Amino acid sequence: MEKALRSFLLTLLLLFHYTSAMIRTNVSTDQLTLLSLKSQISSDPFHYLDESWSLNISVCHWIGVTCHYRHQRVKSLNLSNMTLTGKIPRDFGNLTFLISLNLGWNNFHGNLPQEMVRLRRLEFVDLSLNKFSGEVPSWFGFLDQLQVLNLTNNSFTGSIPSSYFNISKLETLDLTSNSLEGQIPKEIASVENLRYLSLYGNNRIGTIPPALSNASRLETLEISANLLEGNIPEEIGNLHNLNVLSIRDNQLTGSIPFTIFNISRIQVVAFTNNSLSGNLPNGLCNRLPILKRLTLSRNKLHGHMPTGLSNCSQLQLLSLSQNDFDGPIHSEIGRLSNLQKLYLGSNHFTGIIPQQIGNLVNLVDLGVENNQITGSIPISIFNISSLQLLLLRGNNLSGFLPREIGNLTKMQFLYLHQNRFTGEIPKDIRDLVELEYFDVGFNSFSGSLPTEMFNISALRIMLLSFINISATLPPNIGSTLPNIEELYMSSLTNLVGTIPHSISNCSKLTTLELSENKLSGLIPNSLGY
Ligand SMILES: *[C@@H]1O[C@H](CO)[C@@H](O)[C@H](O)[C@H]1NC(C)=O
Ligand SMILES: *[C@@H]1O[C@H](CO)[C@@H](O)[C@H](O)[C@H]1NC(C)=O
Ligand SMILES: *[C@@H]1O[C@H](CO)[C@@H](O)[C@H](O)[C@H]1NC(C)=O
Ligand SMILES: *[C@@H]1O[C@H](CO)[C@@H](O)[C@H](O)[C@H]1NC(C)=O
Ligand SMILES: *[C@@H]1O[C@H](CO)[C@@H](O)[C@H](O)[C@H]1NC(C)=O
Ligand SMILES: *[C@@H]1O[C@H](CO)[C@@H](O)[C@H](O)[C@H]1NC(C)=O
Ligand SMILES: *[C@@H]1O[C@H](CO)[C@@H](O)[C@H](O)[C@H]1NC(C)=O
Ligand SMILES: *[C@@H]1O[C@H](CO)[C@@H](O)[C@H](O)[C@H]1NC(C)=O
Ligand SMILES: *[C@@H]1O[C@H](CO)[C@@H](O)[C@H](O)[C@H]1NC(C)=O
Ligand SMILES: *[C@@H]1O[C@H](CO)[C@@H](O)[C@H](O)[C@H]1NC(C)=O
Ligand SMILES: *[C@@H]1O[C@H](CO)[C@@H](O)[C@H](O)[C@H]1NC(C)=O
Ligand SMILES: *[C@@H]1O[C@H](CO)[C@@H](O)[C@H](O)[C@H]1NC(C)=O
């Protein structure tokens, strides 16, 4: 406390000192100041400043510099993304007409000099993606014109100074990926104009203060990847302007307050990887006309899938995976025509995959793995030509794989592992030219593996273990599967023939499992076994 007071008084003192000095400054001061900055830049590999920042050119024409048209003082400095390495000198505080400062995407390091408190006209500050360190400066809180402060991806420490919440014009505060600690200050409530707040990826501890709900203009609240615990306060539902509510990767408990399903402007709700429990209310979508992403995976939610999800008609991503949901997958999901990703895996869902899923013509990822789903794959699924990932492993699915599987030409990840599929694997599988993962192990397929399988050059991982089919490794496997990394064929009951020598040309191969089958011949030495 005493320390805080001392630094506050010191700041006041500096303010006085410099305000009187300011009167005598002119454009030469600005030029000297920038030359002082240049002298602290130890590396400028693309020679941005070398060439342009010199005395024979007016400072107002230097690269990255903009002057006020009337009084010819430097009002904006934009050195973003120039690969500069260096420090900010104390003199930098002499650039008193500066309104906008962007040093983002460089390698600036060290502390920010306290003298910068003199930059009273600053409205926009972007220091993102640098290596600034030290305590996050409290004096930003004295820059009362500040609207945007972006310190993303630096190494600032300490706690968020409550002075920040005194800046009445502050609209954007982005402190993503630093090493800030301590509680989220209650004073946030008093920043009337705050629209964007991100504390993503710090070490914030404690709970989410209910007072947050008084920051009524807030549109984005991003507080993921911290160490927050306790409940999500009911009062969050009062943030009527919220678009994005993201609290992933924390340790939150309790149930999801139903009040948030009353925020009609919300587009993103992300609560993945917490310990939230309770169930989801039926009709939660009744007041969410523009919700695009709802991600609740990796929690302890239970109960049935809520009814009325189809009212979230703009939904693009729905993730309920890794919870304890049970009961059926409602066929109304088939009405979410904008859905691109649907993750329902690792729950206790029962019943069938509804035929209506085939109406989701924009679907890219479909995960229903590790549930207790029965029946066969609805043929309608093979209509979804955009599908890239189909995760069905660990269910009780049965029936044949139809020839139409060849329609899924964008498929990259096909996991059918551990079900009760029967019949032959259709030759049409050869049309899945982008297939990287093919896992059909632990099923009851019969017949023989189409040799065309070995012509899918994108394949990285193929798992054929424990299926009752015959297969022969083609002699030219080394050239037809150039990308193969892992090949599992153990207990493939009828793997016959020899191991082709060319397999040693599969240079990315790390795992080859062939135990317990009828292959003859030696494994080529070159494989290093
Ligand atoms: C700036 O002020 C200094 C004295 O404070 C003076 O010597 C100099 O000529 C001035 N420069 C311009 C460009 O007015
Ligand atoms: C910045 O201002 C201080 C105080 O007025 C002065 O001592 C210093 O020389 C100035 N630096 C430059 C580079 O003009
Ligand atoms: C200004 O001086 C630098 C060297 O200090 C030189 O490289 C550059 O060509 C000069 N520019 C002009 C426009 O005279
Ligand atoms: C700064 O420069 C970057 C890259 O040239 C540009 O994207 C950005 O809009 C500029 N302006 C500000 C205020 O940062
Ligand atoms: C930085 O520059 C690189 C290459 O010039 C470009 O790819 C990247 O998009 C730029 N980033 C920003 C934020 O301007
Ligand atoms: C802050 O900077 C980062 C990196 O340049 C950028 O991705 C992010 O969008 C900025 N934050 C805001 C709120 O504009
Ligand atoms: C920001 O930092 C995080 C980790 O500190 C890193 O994962 C991320 O890639 C960085 N962002 C950018 C745009 O470099
Ligand atoms: C906020 O501003 C008021 C008056 O402008 C001042 O009295 C108070 O000390 C400031 N609080 C902080 C934490 O800076
Ligand atoms: C929100 O602000 C009002 C009025 O300033 C105050 O009475 C109330 O306690 C605040 N709410 C919270 C949750 O802090
Ligand atoms: C889940 O969140 C915790 C922090 O609460 C983090 O340490 C962990 O890496 C996250 N897990 C995953 C899989 O992202
Ligand atoms: C949602 O809002 C309606 C009307 O605005 C209100 O009657 C209802 O109680 C609210 N529900 C929750 C859970 O906050
Ligand atoms: C598969 O594609 C063929 C031709 O492209 C089309 O006639 C057929 O209807 C498709 N079948 C399914 C189930 O989508």
Side-chain angles (χ1 to χ4, degrees):
M1 193 60 213
E2 202 181 306
K3 195 177 152 208
L5 188 66
R6 256 209 332 268
S7 90
F8 176 70
L9 288 176
L10 179 67
T11 311
L12 276 186
L13 214 68
L14 277 167
L15 275 178
F16 263 113
H17 179 69
Y18 288 121
T19 324
S20 49
M22 210 167 85
I23 300 161
R24 293 191 298 271
T25 66
N26 59 25
V27 68
S28 310
T29 321
D30 293 351
Q31 189 176 40
L32 285 175
T33 304
L34 291 179
L35 286 176
S36 168
L37 173 64
K38 185 181 172 184
S39 74
Q40 295 297 311
I41 289 175
S42 57
S43 168
D44 173 14
F46 298 103
H47 309 286
Y48 285 110
L49 308 190
D50 280 4
E51 283 158 21
S52 115
W53 284 30
S54 68
L55 283 168
N56 55 3
I57 304 172
S58 154
V59 64
C60 297
H61 295 124
W62 290 4
I63 192 165
V65 176
T66 313
C67 289
H68 193 283
Y69 71 97
R70 195 159 34 81
H71 49 67
Q72 293 290 298
R73 300 293 301 267
V74 173
K75 69 164 190 189
S76 150
L77 180 63
N78 186 353
L79 304 180
S80 92
N81 209 6
M82 291 186 176
T83 328
L84 303 174
T85 303
K87 290 186 169 191
I88 311 290
R90 296 166 65 124
D91 291 332
F92 199 75
N94 291 9
L95 217 52
T96 47
F97 281 75
L98 202 61
I99 292 172
S100 171
L101 173 64
N102 188 347
L103 303 179
W105 295 73
N106 285 293
N107 293 309
F108 284 103
H109 55 91
N111 292 0
L112 293 175
Q114 180 140 26
E115 286 76 1
M116 282 176 75
V117 72
R118 296 172 57 207
L119 306 180
R120 304 300 301 272
R121 291 184 170 86
L122 273 178
E123 293 172 8
F124 175 95
V125 174
D126 185 346
L127 305 178
S128 63
L129 284 131
N130 279 289
K131 300 195 171 71
F132 289 116
S133 56
E135 285 217 10
V136 63
S138 62
W139 48 256
F140 276 122
F142 298 101
L143 305 179
D144 50 18
Q145 301 300 311
L146 205 56
Q147 291 165 26
V148 175
L149 179 59
N150 192 343
L151 304 180
T152 293
N153 279 48
N154 280 285
S155 302
F156 288 113
T157 56
S159 50
I160 304 178
S162 40
S163 61
Y164 288 18
F165 303 112
N166 234 6
I167 315 173
S168 61
K169 295 191 173 162
L170 193 65
E171 289 179 11
T172 297
L173 179 59
D174 194 342
L175 302 175
T176 301
S177 293
N178 278 281
S179 301
L180 303 175
E181 318 173 307
Q183 310 254 348
I184 298 178
K186 289 196 296 294
E187 290 84 349
I188 287 184
S190 59
V191 205
E192 293 167 35
N193 285 306
L194 198 63
R195 288 182 165 79
Y196 185 105
L197 175 65
S198 172
L199 308 176
Y200 179 102
N202 282 282
N203 302 316
R204 316 297 312 174
I205 52 164
T207 55
I208 302 172
L212 253 181
S213 62
N214 265 358
S216 60
R217 300 220 170 127
L218 214 51
E219 292 169 6
T220 296
L221 177 59
E222 170 55 275
I223 47 179
S224 299
N226 279 289
L227 301 168
L228 299 171
E229 56 194 21
N231 294 357
I232 301 173
E234 292 257 323
E235 289 85 347
I236 294 264
N238 297 338
L239 294 171
H240 296 299
N241 290 306
L242 218 50
N243 277 309
V244 175
L245 174 59
S246 181
I247 326 186
R248 289 158 25 212
D249 301 323
N250 279 291
Q251 294 157 11
L252 298 170
T253 51
S255 52
I256 298 176
F258 295 173
T259 54
I260 67 163
F261 302 119
N262 242 359
I263 306 175
S264 62
R265 296 200 176 135
I266 209 140
Q267 297 190 27
V268 176
V269 174
F271 293 156
T272 298
N273 189 20
N274 280 284
S275 294
L276 296 167
S277 54
N279 57 4
L280 296 177
N282 286 333
L284 73 86
C285 282
N286 291 356
R287 294 166 190 269
L288 302 178
I290 56 171
L291 186 68
K292 292 193 169 65
R293 303 158 71 96
L294 178 61
T295 59
L296 306 175
S297 49
R298 267 180 272 138
N299 278 289
K300 296 176 176 158
L301 300 167
H302 62 81
H304 289 5
M305 177 182 280
T307 57
L309 281 177
S310 58
N311 289 333
C312 286
S313 60
Q314 301 298 310
L315 212 56
Q316 294 171 1
L317 166 61
L318 174 61
S319 178
L320 304 179
S321 58
Q322 297 186 56
N323 279 288
D324 291 316
F325 289 112
D326 57 22
I329 298 171
H330 299 314
S331 59
E332 67 169 323
I333 283 208
R335 276 190 265 147
L336 292 169
S337 58
N338 293 300
L339 209 56
Q340 293 169 11
K341 299 187 176 189
L342 176 60
Y343 303 112
L344 303 174
S346 297
N347 281 289
H348 313 288
F349 287 118
T350 51
I352 58 164
I353 300 174
Q355 180 73 32
Q356 288 83 350
I357 294 248
N359 297 336
L360 301 177
V361 293
N362 294 305
L363 206 60
V364 175
D365 290 359
L366 174 59
V368 194
E369 78 284 5
N370 300 329
N371 281 292
Q372 289 135 39
I373 306 291
T374 52
S376 53
I377 306 179
I379 190 94
S380 61
I381 282 193
F382 303 105
N383 268 327
I384 312 177
S385 56
S386 49
L387 216 52
Q388 293 177 9
L389 175 139
L390 183 58
L391 265 176
L392 300 176
R393 79 170 165 229
N395 281 292
N396 292 318
L397 289 160
S398 54
F400 301 115
L401 276 189
R403 294 194 50 189
E404 283 81 356
I405 194 157
N407 281 21
L408 303 179
T409 53
K410 298 223 172 79
M411 184 62 65
Q412 293 173 6
F413 303 92
L414 184 59
Y415 292 82
L416 307 177
H417 197 101
Q418 212 156 18
N419 277 287
R420 297 177 186 169
F421 292 115
T422 51
E424 298 207 28
I425 297 174
K427 279 192 176 51
D428 309 79
I429 202 113
R430 69 183 158 214
D431 297 331
L432 277 49
V433 292
E434 295 183 21
L435 198 62
E436 292 179 31
Y437 263 68
F438 182 64
D439 181 354
V440 293
F442 295 86
N443 274 293
S444 306
F445 290 112
S446 55
S448 55
L449 186 71
T451 50
E452 288 86 348
M453 242 359 275
F454 295 101
N455 279 330
I456 302 178
S457 62
L459 270 174
R460 292 195 292 124
I461 298 194
M462 175 143 73
L463 198 147
L464 305 167
S465 306
F466 295 94
I467 50 178
N468 191 16
I469 62 178
S470 59
T472 314
L473 295 173
N476 58 348
I477 189 166
S479 51
T480 60
L481 292 184
N483 291 306
I484 195 83
E485 292 165 15
E486 298 173 28
L487 185 54
Y488 301 91
M489 306 179 91
S490 48
S491 302
L492 182 80
T493 40
N494 278 309
L495 185 63
V496 292
T498 55
I499 302 174
H501 278 283
S502 78
I503 202 162
S504 52
N505 295 337
C506 299
S507 58
K508 297 180 184 164
L509 194 64
T510 58
T511 307
L512 177 60
E513 233 181 67
L514 299 168
S515 55
E516 290 176 61
N517 54 52
K518 300 172 187 160
L519 278 177
S520 58
L522 294 171
I523 294 176
N525 280 336
S526 46
L527 274 178
Y529 281 85

